[in-house]
Amino acid sequence: MSAAASNTVELFQSLEPSCRDTAAHALTIVRDGVITGEGPTTKGRVHFSRALDSDDAAWCVRILTAAAVNDQPISRAEAEALFEINEAATERSDGGRFEDLLAKAVAHHAASASGLAVPPRSVALSPETDIESWAPGYASRVNRDMLEWIAGQMRGSRQGNRRLMAMVATFVGATALPLAGQLPNVFDIGM
């Protein structure tokens, strides 16, 4: 094993979550690395401040799918940390992986908090898994508070996330017309 690979394994072992709270904390360490371009998740590579690259997205995936949390739904704290990473990253070079991850993680949280069954994180967050195969396809199954929370998170965002916006538009559907009136201020449904 190369020295760089060995360092990555050691670092992940130190950041590997034991519960959803420690996963949320580990995501804040990734966020700090994105903001400053420095820190444990950026060691051994060139990383500019406010940039999100494929290694940052991979860190998020490793944290969110660690064995200790894989069978638990995404927590609000984890989802909020992902929104913070999304907001912190003004430059992207991850090929869209983080955008996909954010949308799936938010859907996982919203569905589980609404009392719906969700697959293990490793399945739900996989780039090979279509979000439509497990996420609720209409708002009547998603708790209204969840929809309002998502809209609130997106309202102040400088970074648009087309995948997340499309998911929310699907959630809204015809059954949530009162809430839909509030969402045009958040995003353009007709994208």
Side-chain angles (χ1 to χ4, degrees):
M1 179 182 295
S2 72
S6 176
N7 288 341
T8 300
V9 169
E10 288 174 23
L11 177 58
F12 179 68
Q13 289 171 341
S14 70
L15 290 178
E16 185 171 12
S18 58
C19 65
R20 295 185 311 171
D21 291 337
T22 57
H25 176 71
L27 289 170
T28 66
I29 294 170
V30 174
R31 179 208 60 211
D32 293 348
V34 167
I35 291 171
T36 65
E38 300 173 353
T41 60
T42 64
K43 284 194 189 288
R45 61 192 175 103
V46 175
H47 193 289
F48 298 102
S49 64
R50 298 290 181 175
L52 186 142
D53 61 20
S54 58
D55 287 343
D56 296 317
W59 272 111
C60 294
V61 171
R62 279 191 290 261
I63 291 164
L64 290 171
T65 59
V69 296
N70 189 54
D71 293 327
Q72 300 173 26
I74 301 285
S75 70
R76 180 168 288 199
E78 290 169 303
E80 287 174 346
L82 290 171
F83 274 116
E84 290 171 5
I85 293 168
N86 185 59
E87 190 64 22
T90 57
E91 299 293 326
R92 306 287 174 106
S93 61
D94 67 322
R97 178 63 181 119
F98 184 81
E99 183 173 289
D100 182 64
L101 177 68
L102 175 62
K104 289 176 178 177
V106 169
H108 201 266
H109 170 64
S112 68
S114 298
L116 303 173
V118 291
R121 294 174 182 212
S122 57
V123 173
L125 304 179
S126 170
E128 287 79 37
T129 303
D130 288 330
I131 194 170
E132 294 82 12
S133 70
W134 60 266
Y138 45 92
S140 64
R141 296 184 67 193
V142 177
N143 181 304
R144 180 183 172 99
D145 292 339
M146 280 294 100
L147 293 172
E148 290 173 355
W149 173 77
I150 294 167
Q153 290 292 318
M154 293 171 59
R155 192 171 294 120
S157 177
R158 290 178 291 126
Q159 300 293 327
N161 182 319
R162 292 187 182 277
R163 185 91 167 131
L164 184 59
M165 290 178 195
M167 177 201 64
V168 172
T170 300
F171 278 176
V172 171
T175 61
L177 289 177
L179 179 61
Q182 299 170 15
L183 292 177
N185 295 331
V186 178
F187 63 90
D188 179 12
I189 293 177
M191 48 175 148

